[in-house]
């Protein structure tokens, strides 16, 4: 299927663009009443994720309603640990909960590697196929997975945490176990991303949401090392790496085999660009809280953010996922502002 709007793919590859492409992390979700309507008609979040027709429907909602330049497949990073053998529950208003976790070599049996991706994650690839069919080339479709370190956090901690001290403890008490588990997650993630490409994903993003709780050396050993394996394996489509909070390692990440580096709103695009030159595309990085402000201030701060990037290699996004209580009208203002911005560099 030929794409009518391939702006984001061109921006990722450093090709010429007539304006900056824009999308939002977590664009398919609770900010949209249309999403909540679908979601509330079901038993829960997982039913939505596991029903390909409905996952496709909510994937397309932000393309119709917000006019973004890309769709991101509606799923979750936690489908990977589940496929490996650790089921999760999405507890209303609390977040993910894994009844079983991994803390010893004995428990590695809950981290299977040798299984067929289509067998256990076929609902995601099916959702990708349906979405592309229904989009009929309007915009590219982004596939994604969690980075091994972030998935490791959930598989060992079993839930969200401020410190992830259970996960980080293992790095000191049993580094061999940590490496074994990270290696398994990496191998499954590569197979999973390849299956997404085969199903029709036009580009991919790795979310390392908990990168920022590690120090530089530890992130290099337990984080980047495995992202590097993934980046080397994914050669078919553009790849974005988003390591939230890892400002100290961001230039190292930019050396990997990837097209785009995501910046959160605490990272400085100017110094990062000075460090890496024009070799990579940067994605980001408006503070998601800006969208709580007035329409005028959203417009003003979006323009200011665009001014600071001063590069054609920019995919516009927030610095993290959009907060669920943001007014979709503010998101529209953000998107309109980006679309009417004239590239002046
Ligand atoms: O970006 C998109 O629009 C695509 C969908 C998407 C979801 N999760 C849907 C979702 C994506 C890309 C994710 C990634 C994800 N999931 C990450 C990495 C990105 C990030 O935010 O750092 C992480 C850490 C998770 C794990 C996860 N899923 C948590 C911690 C939670 C609970 C917190 C919350 O926001 O409620 C989820 C649930 C989740 N994933 C929801 C959605 C729309 C909300 C569930 C609901 O609708 O009730």
């Amino acid at each position: 299927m030929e794409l009518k709007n391939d702006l984001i793919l061109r921006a990722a590859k450093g090709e010429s663009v007539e304006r900056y492409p824009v999308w939002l992390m977590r664009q398919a979700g609770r900010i949209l009443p249309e999403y909540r309507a679908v979601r509330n008609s079901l038993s829960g979040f997982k039913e939505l994720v596991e029903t390909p027709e409905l996952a496709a429907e909510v994937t397309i909602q932000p393309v119709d309603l917000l006019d973004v330049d890309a769709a991101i497949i509606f799923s979750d990073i936690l489908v990977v640990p589940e496929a490996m053998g650790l089921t999760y529950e999405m507890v209303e208003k609390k977040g993910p909960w894994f009844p079983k976790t991994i803390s010893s070599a004995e428990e590695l049996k809950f981290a299977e590697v040798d299984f067929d991706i289509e067998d256990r994650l076929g609902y995601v690839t099916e959702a990708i196929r349906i979405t592309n069919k229904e989009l009929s080339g309007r915009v590219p479709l982004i596939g994604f997975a969690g980075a091994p370190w972030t998935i490791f956090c959930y598989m060992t901690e079993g839930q969200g945490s401020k410190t992830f001290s259970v996960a980080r403890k293992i790095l000191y008490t049993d580094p061999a176990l940590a490496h074994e588990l990270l290696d398994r997650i990496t191998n499954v993630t590569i197979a999973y991303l390849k299956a997404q490409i085969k199903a029709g994903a036009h580009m991919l993003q790795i979310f390392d949401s908990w990168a920022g709780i590690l120090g530089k050396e530890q992130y290099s050993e337990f984080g980047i090392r495995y992202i590097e394996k993934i980046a080397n394996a994914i050669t078919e489509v553009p790849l974005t790496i988003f390591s939230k909070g890892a400002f100290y390692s961001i230039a190292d990440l930019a050396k990997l085999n990837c097209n785009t580096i995501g910046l959160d709103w605490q990272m400085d695009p100017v110094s990062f660009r000075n460090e890496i030159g024009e070799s990579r595309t940067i994605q980001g990085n408006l503070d998601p809280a800006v969208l709580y402000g007035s329409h005028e201030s959203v417009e003003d701060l979006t323009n200011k953010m665009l001014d600071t990037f001063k590069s054609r290699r920019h995919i516009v996004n927030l610095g993290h996922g959009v907060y669920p209580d943001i007014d979709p009208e503010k998101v529209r203002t953000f998107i309109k502002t980006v679309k009417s911005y004239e590239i002046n560099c």
Side-chain angles (χ1 to χ4, degrees), residues 128-251:
I128 290 175
R129 283 186 287 270
I130 297 172
T131 302
N132 270 335
K133 210 161 146 202
E134 292 179 358
L135 277 175
S136 52
R138 283 166 64 197
V139 290
L141 178 58
I142 305 170
F144 70 90
W149 163 246
T150 287
I151 299 301
F152 176 94
C153 284
Y154 287 104
M155 292 180 88
T156 54
E157 193 97 22
Q159 58 188 313
S161 160
K162 279 208 173 82
T163 57
F164 279 100
S165 57
V166 175
R168 288 193 296 130
K169 175 181 170 186
I170 299 172
L171 308 187
Y172 295 99
T173 57
D174 198 347
L177 173 70
H179 280 301
E180 174 62 26
L181 182 51
L182 286 162
D183 203 50
R184 290 186 186 199
I185 297 166
T186 302
N187 290 336
V188 173
T189 301
I190 291 170
Y192 177 50
L193 292 172
K194 295 257 179 196
Q196 293 187 41
I197 297 168
K198 198 166 160 224
H202 298 98
M203 63 191 294
L204 296 170
Q205 176 157 325
I206 302 290
F207 287 91
D208 212 351
S209 307
W210 303 115
I213 57 169
L214 293 180
K216 186 174 160 74
E217 271 172 37
Q218 278 199 318
Y219 190 53
S220 170
E221 181 178 351
F222 298 99
I224 297 182
R225 187 203 282 208
Y226 295 96
I227 295 178
E228 181 174 20
K229 261 184 104 174
I230 296 173
N232 286 338
I234 301 299
T235 50
E236 303 89 336
V237 299
L239 178 70
T240 302
I241 295 168
F242 176 56
S243 287
K244 181 155 188 310
F247 54 88
Y248 43 78
S249 294
I250 205 83

Side-chain angles (χ1 to χ4, degrees), residues 26-28 30 35 39 45 72 75-77 90 209 320:
R26 293 284 179 100
Q27 64 189 17
R30 287 167 297 184
Y35 167 84
R39 165 83 169 72
F45 173 74
I72 177 162
S75 186
D76 202 273
I77 61 168
M90 196 57 82
S209 307
H320 199 193

